[in-house]
Amino acid sequence: MFRKRSYSLVMTGILMGMIVLLMMFGSRLFLDIDEEPRVEEEKRIVVGVSQLGSESGWRTANTESVQNAFTTQNGYFLIFNNARQKQENQLKAIRSFISQRVDYIIFSPVVETGWETVLQEAKEAGIPVILMDRNVDVDDQSLFATCVGSDFVAEGEKAGRWLEKELRKRGYAEERVNIVMLMGTEGSSSQIGRTTGFTSVASEHESWHILDKECADFTSIKGKEVMRDFLRKYQDIDVVVSQNDDMTFGAIEAIRESGRTVGVGGDIVILSFDAVRNALEMVASGDINVDIECNPNQGEYLLRVIDMLEAGEQVERRYYVEEDIFTIENVTQELLQERTY
Ligand code: AHR
């Protein structure tokens, strides 16, 4: 009896010991295999991100890039807010980041103006602000640390230079060309920059006539509406310059419904911006003539900038992301397969 009890006591002890050992080392083992080492909670860098909305495929990709960058594995605690296209929501979000005393504020300004007061508040609270994608129009440049985004004027110029070359190739360099422009959110950096870039090239060509330009808010629905109006007003449109892919999708629908054709060999030449996968497929099939890339993968760039700021290094005023131009000649199947957005 005694022997039996002591035997079962020994067995229980061994079992308990195994459980304790499993809890001590087993969990570490699982952690090492399944997860990257986590940064202790109190050492994480707290980042407040105010995204301007979710108007386009590009914007969704930009949001994903930020969310994939500022992860706990990378040592961050991300507070993310979607402003649904309203500046007042962005102002509210930034103020709430200030009151939560985040370490950095990142935001993509819906329009360029109207940010002085809130940026001053962030500065007084000692919180560095990093602009993402778009710029702000402020006199005091110390109100933000740096800006990661696209060179929108260069994008607009690229579109203009492509059209110049294309018309020359077709032997139309001196002929009258009627152009309409679908523009993004009025007052946004992408709208201002792309318009400036394209119209500066257009001004070098007496034969180019910009018949009209209208805001279609970077959305497909508005793109279709505005394009429909243009088609009613003007019978002889040769070229559409659409400042993002979503508006292009809507515009192409409207053009087809009017009985006209688009793209390579079609009635109307289509110039678009962004180069999201769906649009690149349309470049490959010849429906869009050219797509000027706007790179939404800005998360990695932002991580690098914060690393530099954490190390006390000097950062540049602006960091431009890498961008390309796509036509039927260089959109390959591999490119389409690799495109994550
Ligand atoms: O600011 C970048 C622009 O904003 C992209 O071209 C557009 O798709 C987005 O909504």
Side-chain angles (χ1 to χ4, degrees):
M1 183 73 177
F2 180 69
R3 278 175 73 92
K4 253 191 184 169
R5 185 177 292 161
S6 71
Y7 173 76
S8 64
L9 269 175
V10 169
M11 285 310 283
T12 316
I14 291 173
L15 211 66
M16 296 272 287
M18 280 171 73
I19 291 171
V20 169
L21 280 174
L22 209 67
M23 281 168 69
M24 281 170 66
F25 299 108
S27 60
R28 284 193 75 84
L29 206 66
F30 288 129
L31 194 74
D32 287 347
I33 292 170
D34 292 343
E35 295 174 30
E36 289 174 38
R38 284 174 186 274
V39 177
E40 289 161 49
E41 210 163 309
E42 64 274 16
K43 287 196 189 142
R44 282 188 209 148
I45 298 171
V46 182
V47 175
V49 174
S50 163
Q51 177 60 283
L52 63 88
S54 40
E55 72 285 1
S56 61
W58 186 97
R59 187 66 52 200
T60 307
N62 181 244
T63 295
E64 277 170 15
S65 166
V66 168
Q67 289 174 336
N68 292 336
F70 295 108
T71 58
T72 49
Q73 283 87 353
N74 284 342
Y76 288 91
F77 184 84
L78 170 65
I79 310 173
F80 182 86
N81 183 274
N82 180 332
R84 298 177 196 289
Q85 240 58 46
K86 291 208 169 85
Q87 183 171 32
E88 65 198 76
N89 291 345
Q90 289 205 281
L91 292 171
K92 247 189 248 162
I94 294 170
R95 292 205 163 99
S96 115
F97 298 153
I98 296 172
S99 67
Q100 292 176 72
R101 310 209 58 76
V102 300
D103 297 309
Y104 293 90
I105 292 172
I106 296 177
F107 85 112
S108 173
V110 63
V111 290
E112 289 197 347
T113 53
W115 303 102
E116 276 91 351
T117 312
V118 79
L119 291 180
Q120 188 61 42
E121 290 166 27
K123 186 178 173 181
E124 279 159 21
I127 303 173
V129 173
I130 301 167
L131 306 178
M132 168 176 78
D133 164 32
R134 300 180 182 175
N135 298 323
V136 292
D137 181 5
V138 289
D139 291 335
D140 180 357
Q141 294 297 300
S142 77
L143 291 179
F144 62 93
T146 183
C147 172
V148 171
S150 306
D151 186 341
F152 295 117
V153 177
E155 288 180 358
E157 283 169 355
K158 284 182 200 170
R161 296 293 169 215
W162 178 86
L163 185 60
E164 203 171 61
K165 233 167 102 190
E166 180 67 11
L167 294 172
R168 214 178 299 133
K169 204 168 82 188
R170 294 186 189 193
Y172 294 158
E174 304 305 321
E175 309 226 351
R176 183 185 170 102
V177 179
N178 292 326
I179 304 168
V180 291
M181 292 176 72
L182 294 169
M183 299 200 297
T185 310
E186 202 101 56
S188 66
S189 305
S190 21
Q191 178 265 317
I192 297 170
R194 288 170 188 165
T195 308
T196 306
F198 182 80
T199 52
S200 81
V201 177
S203 68
E204 295 171 17
H205 298 273
E206 277 180 24
S207 55
W208 294 17
H209 294 266
I210 299 182
L211 301 178
D212 219 331
K213 20 182 185 354
E214 272 292 328
C215 170
D217 263 345
F218 285 129
T219 69
S220 188
I221 294 183
K222 286 265 183 72
K224 188 169 181 176
E225 262 172 43
V226 173
M227 192 66 223
R228 232 186 235 149
D229 289 346
F230 284 161
L231 290 160
R232 268 189 220 118
K233 278 209 256 176
Y234 312 101
Q235 304 309 309
D236 45 2
I237 298 169
D238 301 306
V239 175
V240 174
V241 179
S242 164
Q243 289 182 348
N244 88 340
D245 286 337
D246 291 77
M247 295 189 296
T248 305
F249 301 147
I252 290 178
E253 269 181 47
I255 295 170
R256 286 190 168 139
E257 283 170 17
S258 79
R260 271 163 272 191
T261 56
V262 289
V264 181
D267 304 328
I268 300 181
V269 173
I270 307 286
L271 282 73
S272 191
F273 291 82
D274 282 358
V276 298
R277 194 178 43 231
N278 291 351
L280 287 182
E281 279 165 1
M282 294 173 79
V283 173
S285 60
D287 297 325
I288 295 175
N289 298 73
V290 66
D291 210 330
I292 314 297
E293 185 176 34
C294 181
N295 182 357
N297 286 335
Q298 297 172 358
E300 291 293 324
Y301 289 78
L302 291 162
L303 281 180
R304 262 179 269 148
V305 163
I306 294 189
D307 279 349
M308 288 169 77
L309 291 169
E310 286 291 296
E313 290 169 26
Q314 188 79 29
V315 290
E316 308 275 330
R317 289 309 294 153
R318 281 188 204 295
Y319 291 95
Y320 290 126
V321 290
E322 279 178 40
E323 299 180 331
D324 210 336
I325 302 180
F326 295 105
T327 61
I328 198 160
E329 275 95 36
N330 64 346
V331 178
T332 60
Q333 281 310 310
E334 285 134 274
L335 177 82
L336 291 173
Q337 272 155 21
E338 278 166 16
R339 203 74 170 172
T340 52
Y341 54 89

